[in-house]
Amino acid sequence: MELKDILSTYGIIGVISSYEMKEHNGKISELPIRMKEKAMKMVGLDNQILEKEYSDLSVSEKFKIDLATKLDNEIIVVGNLSKNLIGKDMNFIKKLLIKLNKNYNKKIVVIDNNINSFMNLVKHIVVIKDKKVIFESNNFFDKELYNYISKPAIVDFIEYVNKDKRVLNETTDIYELIKDIYRVVSWDIC
């Protein structure tokens, strides 16, 4: 299946590949961003950033500015969430991307070499090599997926616990995992 078809089907996809953010020169106010004040608010930045030089921004601010320049696009491509954002910012951006997909019908492509960036965000994972789709899955517990990328700790933990008998549900949400562990322990006590 071609990447465009996969994107049309799922809306938000994760692509395991490398990504380089476009660098800009000059002030942020000079960038081609429609409705700059609203765009800054949407990506979680203060309007005072418009007067700053692009080169003076932090990595996370550059990521958010890059996203702001793409808000009008039908297909929004962002990358390296794991390298550019810390926990709080990553959760905010994930919620924003989901909102853009659901409320504004934007198609979202998230490119990263760290699968943790995709958790609680993407509906389908694609591995690309030499501009060709070599593997795709919609399951974070697909064993073949981890031939291409490192296995996240939560998946490794659940597989370890479930190796002899299914005890825990397969989830990528840490809070759901904690609830599931509590349920299992509660049943064992009774």
Side-chain angles (χ1 to χ4, degrees), residues 161-175:
V161 170
N162 290 345
K163 73 178 179 217
D164 295 329
K165 177 179 124 180
R166 184 179 168 121
V167 177
L168 299 175
N169 293 322
E170 293 180 341
T171 183
T172 57
D173 185 335
I174 190 69
Y175 299 110

Side-chain angles (χ1 to χ4, degrees), residues 1-188:
M1 193 180 256
E2 199 173 307
L3 198 58
K4 202 170 194 177
D5 298 329
I6 296 169
L7 187 57
S8 294
T9 303
Y10 294 99
I12 302 177
I13 63 170
V15 176
I16 297 172
S17 188
S18 56
Y19 176 83
E20 286 193 33
M21 194 167 31
K22 184 180 177 186
E23 290 291 320
H24 300 282
N25 294 319
K27 287 189 174 190
I28 303 305
S29 60
E30 298 168 356
L31 293 176
I33 302 172
R34 204 171 133 244
M35 296 191 285
K36 288 177 176 46
E37 289 80 19
K38 285 185 180 182
M40 293 305 110
K41 184 176 181 181
M42 186 174 270
V43 297
L45 293 172
D46 192 277
N47 285 336
Q48 293 174 350
I49 202 164
L50 292 170
E51 297 309 314
K52 287 187 176 182
E53 291 287 326
Y54 183 82
S55 59
D56 294 338
L57 300 180
S58 70
V59 175
S60 74
E61 289 172 331
K62 286 180 180 180
F63 178 89
K64 291 175 181 180
I65 293 296
D66 184 56
L67 177 57
T69 64
K70 299 172 181 177
L71 290 174
D72 281 341
N73 299 351
E74 182 181 331
I75 298 174
I76 298 173
V77 180
V78 294
N80 295 335
L81 273 73
S82 62
K83 291 180 184 175
N84 296 326
L85 301 171
I86 58 172
K88 184 179 176 184
D89 283 338
M90 184 169 311
N91 289 334
F92 174 80
I93 293 298
K94 284 181 178 183
K95 288 176 185 174
L96 174 60
L97 294 174
I98 291 168
K99 184 177 181 178
L100 289 169
N101 176 252
K102 286 185 178 181
N103 296 353
Y104 300 98
N105 298 316
K106 303 287 185 178
K107 305 292 184 211
I108 312 289
V109 178
V110 180
I111 303 171
D112 208 318
N113 282 318
N114 184 337
I115 200 157
N116 290 319
S117 300
F118 304 151
M119 291 184 176
N120 304 322
L121 174 63
V122 304
K123 299 170 185 169
H124 200 74
I125 304 163
V126 177
V127 179
I128 292 182
K129 188 173 184 180
D130 299 326
K131 298 183 182 181
K132 291 188 176 156
V133 175
I134 59 171
F135 180 77
E136 59 181 285
S137 178
N138 60 2
N139 182 2
F140 283 95
F141 289 85
D142 188 332
K143 292 186 186 322
E144 191 177 338
L145 175 62
Y146 300 109
N147 293 332
Y148 304 102
I149 194 162
S150 298
K151 189 182 295 187
I154 191 168
V155 172
D156 202 29
F157 175 78
I158 292 170
E159 285 180 349
Y160 178 77
V161 170
N162 290 345
K163 73 178 179 217
D164 295 329
K165 177 179 124 180
R166 184 179 168 121
V167 177
L168 299 175
N169 293 322
E170 293 180 341
T171 183
T172 57
D173 185 335
I174 190 69
Y175 299 110
E176 288 302 315
L177 176 61
I178 292 168
K179 286 189 236 177
D180 202 26
I181 291 170
Y182 180 76
R183 280 186 222 115
V184 170
V185 171
S186 295
W187 280 105
D188 287 346

